[in-house]
Amino acid sequence: MDNIEIRYTFQLNEKSEIFDIILDGRKLELIRDDEEAKPEWTELGCHQCSHCPLDKETTSHCPVALNIASVIKRLGNICSHDQIALEVQTKERTIIANTSAQRGISSMIGLLIATSGCPHTEYMKPMARFHLPLSSEEDTIFRATGMYLLAQYFLRKAGMQEDMSLNGLTDIYKNLHLLNKSIAERIRFSAPSDASVNALILLDMFTNLMPFVIEDHLDEIRYLFDAYLA
């Protein structure tokens, strides 16, 4: 399969930062430059997640931290509420928006976390494949639940036990919430400004909200499916 290329361009006043994100078309993981420096805060033992399944004896660095290290290095001095011009180019479309630095960074960090190879983020690869920049809370809820239910369809076709209760999706997001908290601590350890941390906090708002949405609020969009329920 062909690699997937996504370009994020951040324009702040006269300065621009371009991130060319290349994903392995089959593994859906970021193709990283192994020659890039690996800061101390990316080491696995630095603010390691309490539920991390990786072992320092066999894995030297946190895969999530490695994926976002370049973002922290290059955008770490931007203030959260600085207004930027953001352009995101994919093969299928180009999205242009004036937005806050933290929202633009949050969108890109979400993609980089999902494609890091961390065992807790593997489940988000389908959403990374069909990346939607600057997605709203409603976008994320719809896409995440749709992704999970499609996974259950494939499980059933394979003769395995499916989960139509969405309990597994709740567990996935609870684990992502713990991961985001630990990554935020790493960023605080490394970044001189607040934009990157606040971008992760913004991303984590969706992560933290999802279990409650699944339990209490999905009925609010039930009306969209009236044609199916008639």
Side-chain angles (χ1 to χ4, degrees):
M1 294 184 179
D2 293 339
N3 291 338
I4 298 167
E5 299 182 8
I6 301 172
R7 169 173 283 189
Y8 268 77
T9 302
F10 295 80
Q11 185 75 41
L12 176 62
N13 299 324
E14 300 301 315
K15 182 181 180 183
S16 65
E17 290 285 354
I18 298 174
F19 294 83
D20 285 316
I21 298 169
I22 303 176
L23 307 179
D24 182 287
R26 182 70 183 95
K27 294 181 179 178
L28 287 176
E29 292 182 3
L30 180 69
I31 298 176
R32 291 192 297 258
D33 181 359
D34 289 336
E35 299 303 315
E36 283 190 5
K38 298 176 180 178
E40 179 185 351
W41 64 271
T42 65
E43 293 177 4
L44 187 65
C46 179
H47 296 285
Q48 186 173 3
C49 297
S50 59
H51 63 331
C52 179
L54 302 177
D55 186 344
K56 286 184 288 186
E57 297 300 320
T58 55
T59 305
S60 60
H61 292 76
C62 167
V64 173
L66 287 179
N67 264 26
I68 66 173
S70 176
V71 179
I72 306 308
K73 178 181 179 181
R74 294 167 59 186
L75 299 179
N77 288 308
I78 295 177
C79 293
S80 297
H81 298 290
D82 283 347
Q83 289 299 300
I84 62 167
L86 177 69
E87 180 173 299
V88 186
Q89 295 172 284
T90 69
K91 181 180 179 180
E92 297 80 11
R93 63 186 64 88
T94 296
I95 294 175
I96 300 173
N98 292 316
T99 187
S100 66
Q102 68 178 23
R103 187 158 183 249
I105 297 170
S106 177
S107 180
M108 184 169 64
I109 283 181
L111 173 64
L112 294 173
I113 289 176
T115 57
S116 66
C118 167
H120 289 304
T121 68
E122 291 283 289
Y123 305 101
M124 312 311 291
K125 284 182 175 180
M127 289 176 70
R129 169 59 185 85
F130 299 101
H131 179 55
L132 181 62
L134 302 177
S135 56
S136 67
E137 180 180 305
E138 291 80 7
D139 291 329
T140 303
I141 291 166
F142 186 84
R143 295 174 69 239
T145 52
M147 173 191 68
Y148 187 78
L149 289 172
L150 187 55
Q152 306 319 301
Y153 166 79
F154 288 124
L155 281 170
R156 185 172 184 177
K157 283 199 69 174
M160 302 168 70
Q161 181 64 47
E162 74 270 22
D163 167 35
M164 302 306 294
S165 68
L166 302 183
N167 288 333
L169 183 59
T170 298
D171 291 339
I172 288 169
Y173 270 90
K174 285 179 178 177
N175 284 328
L176 289 176
H177 174 55
L178 292 176
L179 182 148
N180 286 343
K181 287 175 62 178
S182 293
I183 293 298
E185 290 303 316
R186 288 178 183 268
I187 295 174
R188 288 190 182 96
F189 180 76
S190 65
S193 190
D194 65 345
S196 299
V197 173
N198 287 347
L200 189 62
I201 291 171
L202 182 63
L203 179 68
D204 191 49
M205 285 173 60
F206 294 145
T207 304
N208 200 26
L209 178 68
M210 188 63 70
F212 301 101
V213 169
I214 293 168
E215 185 173 344
D216 298 325
H217 298 298
L218 280 183
D219 281 345
E220 293 179 7
I221 62 170
R222 188 178 186 274
Y223 74 95
L224 296 173
F225 300 90
D226 284 348
Y228 293 91
L229 299 170

